[in-house]
Each structure stands twice: as C-alpha cells, then as structure tokens.
C-alpha cells in the first residue's frame, strides 16, 4: 500500500472509536508536512498519547507501508494547547534495505512541543523467546473504570463524565482502585489494566499501532504514583510525561483486549521511571514501553 493511497478505516459514526480514527487521520500540507487537529477539551494540556500517535502517523505516511514500525523514541518538550492544530514536520533520515528511519518534529503556535524518532523494519525470520504473561483475571470479570468510580462516588463529576463519554478505550484495572492513603500501606509500585478500543478501528496496521501508542500514555505513570497517593482522589502532585519509548514486537489489534502490565523501578529527583509490557489474550508480548515522568508536589 503506498503512502498516497492508504485508506482511512471505518468506525461507527459518532463513536469514540471514530473520533480516535479521525484524530489520527492527518491532513497532508506538503510532501513531508502534516497537520493534526487537537480537540478543545477541558484539560490543562494536550494529552501526550495524542501527540505521540499523530507524530507516528506522520512518520508512517512517508514510508511505503510495507515495513511496520518496530521502535520509537520521543521527548515531550512543551505542553500543547488544547483546541489548537499541531503541525508535524517529517525528516526522511534513511531508507535502507531492511530499515527505514524517520524523525518528526511537532510544532504548535510556532514552538516545538514534541519530537520523535521512529524506525521501521521489514519482516524477517528469526529465533523467538519471551517471559510469560502474568496470571490475572479476565477482563470480562472486571468492572469498567468509569463504573468503578461511579460505584465509589455515586456519580462521576462533570469533567470525568464528559471524558468517560469520549474515552476511546475501555479500561479495566486488575486490582480494585484504592481511595485512601491508608489503603496504600505496603503497596508496591506495580499495577495492571486490561484495555481495548471501544469500537472497531479497521484493518490498517498503522492505525492500530498509532492507537496503541495513544493508549500507552494513559495509565503508565500510575505505577509511579501508586505508593504515594490514591490514583483517583485529590492529586498532590503535578505530573507530566518527559519522554517515551516503545518497541513493537508482534502484530496486534488495538480493538482487541490487551493486558498492560506496569511497574516503576525507581523514583528520585522529582522524576519517576515507569515500564510496561503489553500482552494479547494469547499471552504473547506485543509491545514494551518505557517512560519517565515529572512529579512535583503541589501546595493545593
């Protein structure tokens, strides 16, 4: 499939899945320049997974479509402004016999807010091994995140209710949420969630890769926060993603259940490191993730 003929996959009209696909469908301005829209959401900054996913779309659309992405490395440089378009400038660094490399700079209001380097690799045969997937309950036996919050609070606050209706991923925590600091005594910096897109995303592998890139930024820093404060209570820290790296091991679909296992090996100097492994329902490791986040204690 060529870069000029890659179709936009279908989704249910008006659904969160359709909005996600639309968010990842960039406008080509020039040969190596794309523009993505940013929803005008009641958020402090543009969601980092959105920028990473859109940047990877821009990189992928300058390739021949025959080599899947195998890794990306990115830095969040400035917070993006919700509701303002983001321009993605792609540098075609290398087109080799086996690997293709792209560098992407995201610009908003004349300032660089994000950069990403992505590497694409043609499929080759080779040996295989992996560590086993953890044993966890099936996603069908776990409550949806929004339902678990409603159960505790009685109703979702208006901002959360708005986000729940627009959320493109069904998220289900393997362990029930903890709501008080007392419940955190002795808790290790580990957590896990089942996730999948809330509707079909079509059959373009690039869309699924970029959708899972979007999702990978949603809960990863939970592992850093877990020993410090409840995940769904008043926040005592200002949090921001600093950098993000992913390695894609096997083909997958983001609209099928995947387990996102997360842990934080260290937190120090107002920064916390988190790593994650994504497994499909067959127990195959499909993606590995690393991210460092900034954690500054707030007065409020």
């Amino acid at each position: 499939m060529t870069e000029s003929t890659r179709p936009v996959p279908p989704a249910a009209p008006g659904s969160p899945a359709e909005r996600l696909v639309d968010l990842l469908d960039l406008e080509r301005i020039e040969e190596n320049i794309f523009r993505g829209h940013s929803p005008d959401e009641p958020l402090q900054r543009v969601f980092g997974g959105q920028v990473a996913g859109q940047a990877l779309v821009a990189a992928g659309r300058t390739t021949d479509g025959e080599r899947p992405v195998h890794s990306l490395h990115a830095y969040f440089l400035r917070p993006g402004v919700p509701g303002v378009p983001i321009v993605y400038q792609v540098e075609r660094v290398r087109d080799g016999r086996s690997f293709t490399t792209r560098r992407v700079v995201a610009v908003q209001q004349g300032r660089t807010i994000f950069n990403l380097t992505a590497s694409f690799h043609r499929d080759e045969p080779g040996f295989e091994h992996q560590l086993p997937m953890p044993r966890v309950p099936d996603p069908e036996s776990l409550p949806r995140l929004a339902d678990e919050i409603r159960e505790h609070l009685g109703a979702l606050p208006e901002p959360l209710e708005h986000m729940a209706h627009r959320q493109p991923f069904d998220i289900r925590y393997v362990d029930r949420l903890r709501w008080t600091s007392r419940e955190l005594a002795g808790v290790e910096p580990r957590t896990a969630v089942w996730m999948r897109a809330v509707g079909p995303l079509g059959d373009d592998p690039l869309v699924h890769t970029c959708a899972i890139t979007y999702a990978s930024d949603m809960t990863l820093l939970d592992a850093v926060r877990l020993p410090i404060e409840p995940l769904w209570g008043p926040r005592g820290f200002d949090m921001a993603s600093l950098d993000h790296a992913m390695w894609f091991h096997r083909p997958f679909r983001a609209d099928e259940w995947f387990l996102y296992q997360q842990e934080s090996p260290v937190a120090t100097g107002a920064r916390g490191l988190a790593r994650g492994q994504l497994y499909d329902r067959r127990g195959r490791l499909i993606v590995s993730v690393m991210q460092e986040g900034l954690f500054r204690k707030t007065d409020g």
Side-chain angles (χ1 to χ4, degrees), residues 187-206:
V187 172
E188 293 186 339
R190 291 186 175 89
T191 185
V193 296
W194 284 103
M195 302 176 72
R196 69 173 175 184
V198 296
L201 299 178
D203 295 321
D204 184 352
L206 179 62

Side-chain angles (χ1 to χ4, degrees), residues 178-181 184 225-226 228-235:
R178 297 172 175 87
W179 294 92
T180 67
S181 298
L184 300 179
R225 287 181 61 200
L226 196 55
I228 307 170
E229 61 182 5
L231 299 181
W232 290 91
R235 182 184 292 178

Side-chain angles (χ1 to χ4, degrees), residues 135-148:
R135 292 189 176 184
V136 298
D138 292 333
E140 293 84 1
S141 68
L142 302 170
R144 294 182 178 90
L145 173 59
D147 293 339
E148 193 169 359

